[in-house]
Amino acid sequence: MTKPQPLVSGNWKMNGLEDSLKQIKALCKALKKADPKPACDVMICPPATILSKAVKKADKKGCEVTIGAQNCHDQVSGAYTGDLSAEMLAEAGAEAVIVGHSERRDKATYAESDAAVRAKAEAAWRAGMMAIICVGETEAERRGGETLDVVGGQVRGSLPEGANADNTVIAYEPVWAIGSGLTPTTDDVAEVHQLVRNLLIELMGDEGAGVRILYGGSVKPSNAKELMSVADVDGALVGGASLKAEDFLGIIAAYG
């Protein structure tokens, strides 16, 4: 099984107005000039309000940035005020969609279940997009020694049948590390990524060896190379450090 190139994807979350598109322009310009080219795929997932404009900004000759979305509804259409279907996002130009991010799973906010995340991943496929399925434990679960059980359960419950290396990416994001400046040790990351890899092979056979597993949670230029060198870490899902092209390029440089 040939694994795709690593993926470094930026998740802008609820950040970014039209002026932020200049960061995508700067990113495209820098990647176009890079010699050698980074040995990874690059994606930005902006808020839906500027998604189509981000696609146009990235759709320039020689730009090596693809655009994804941050969430979708599992239904094609209906009376779901404020929601966006996967088909709507795909029509706007998104090539992937993040599902099951920690804020969506958080019981105090959206409380999305594994079943809900699985349905959204299936919706992404239905619309012709790749699903980036997020998993990760809370600080209390980490302290309680539940990390492997929690993450393993989320992978089993959130991964639809029919997943393959082209339509699915898994992103491990320890909830306690997101935006906190804290990161697990490389041994901790290796342990979880090995668990996820073994589960993917168990559930998908040889195809599971080719699915990319990203690490996310306070990834920044200063720690990217170390984190990206861990076994079975096939890229990064980056939050705050993806908002500025200069910082994001510092992370992409781990594959330079």
Side-chain angles (χ1 to χ4, degrees):
M1 176 69 209
T2 302
K3 188 183 294 184
Q5 279 201 127
L7 170 65
V8 179
S9 180
N11 175 17
W12 284 7
K13 304 186 181 181
M14 200 174 73
N15 298 288
L17 300 173
E18 188 168 353
D19 185 61
S20 303
L21 296 172
K22 64 186 180 185
Q23 300 299 327
I24 295 177
K25 181 179 179 180
L27 185 61
C28 288
K29 184 177 180 179
L31 291 174
K32 188 175 181 179
K33 291 182 176 180
D35 185 19
K37 299 291 186 186
C40 65
D41 296 331
V42 178
M43 179 181 292
I44 291 289
C45 299
T49 50
I50 57 171
L51 177 59
S52 61
K53 291 181 179 180
V55 170
K56 289 179 181 177
K57 190 68 67 174
D59 191 22
K60 302 291 184 183
K61 187 175 181 180
C63 183
E64 299 179 15
V65 178
T66 56
I67 302 299
Q70 297 178 20
N71 185 45
C72 68
H73 198 282
D74 66 324
Q75 296 297 306
V76 177
S77 62
Y80 305 105
T81 301
D83 278 317
L84 297 171
S85 71
E87 284 76 7
M88 292 172 179
L89 298 168
E91 185 177 63
E95 297 186 32
V97 60
I98 299 168
V99 297
H101 196 275
S102 62
E103 296 101 351
R104 308 299 309 186
R105 290 183 182 270
D106 187 354
K107 293 180 175 60
T109 51
Y110 301 100
E112 290 186 1
S113 65
D114 291 339
V117 174
R118 185 172 64 249
K120 290 184 176 188
E122 291 172 334
W125 300 351
R126 185 185 66 219
M129 295 188 293
M130 180 176 70
I132 301 175
I133 301 173
C134 298
V135 297
E137 83 283 8
T138 65
E139 184 177 7
E141 290 164 342
R142 163 66 66 171
R143 288 200 309 267
E146 302 174 70
T147 296
L148 299 185
D149 287 340
V150 168
V151 173
Q154 289 175 343
V155 172
R156 289 183 182 279
S158 305
L159 186 70
E161 290 186 20
N164 59 48
D166 293 323
N167 66 18
T168 301
V169 168
I170 303 294
Y172 167 56
E173 294 198 308
V175 177
W176 51 273
I178 298 172
S180 67
L182 302 173
T183 54
T185 66
T186 52
D187 286 344
D188 289 337
V189 174
E191 181 181 40
V192 176
H193 278 245
Q194 182 179 44
L195 167 81
V196 174
R197 176 67 66 210
N198 291 342
L199 267 176
L200 291 174
I201 292 171
E202 175 191 327
L203 296 168
M204 300 165 57
D206 290 344
E207 187 71 29
V211 173
R212 290 174 288 189
I213 309 170
L214 312 184
Y215 171 74
S218 293
V219 181
K220 43 190 178 285
S222 60
N223 63 18
K225 195 168 185 65
E226 182 181 27
L227 288 167
M228 298 306 102
S229 67
V230 174
D232 283 313
V233 172
D234 306 310
L237 183 58
V238 184
S242 69
L243 294 172
K244 292 185 177 180
E246 183 179 0
D247 293 339
F248 198 44
L249 286 162
I251 294 170
I252 294 167
Y255 294 104

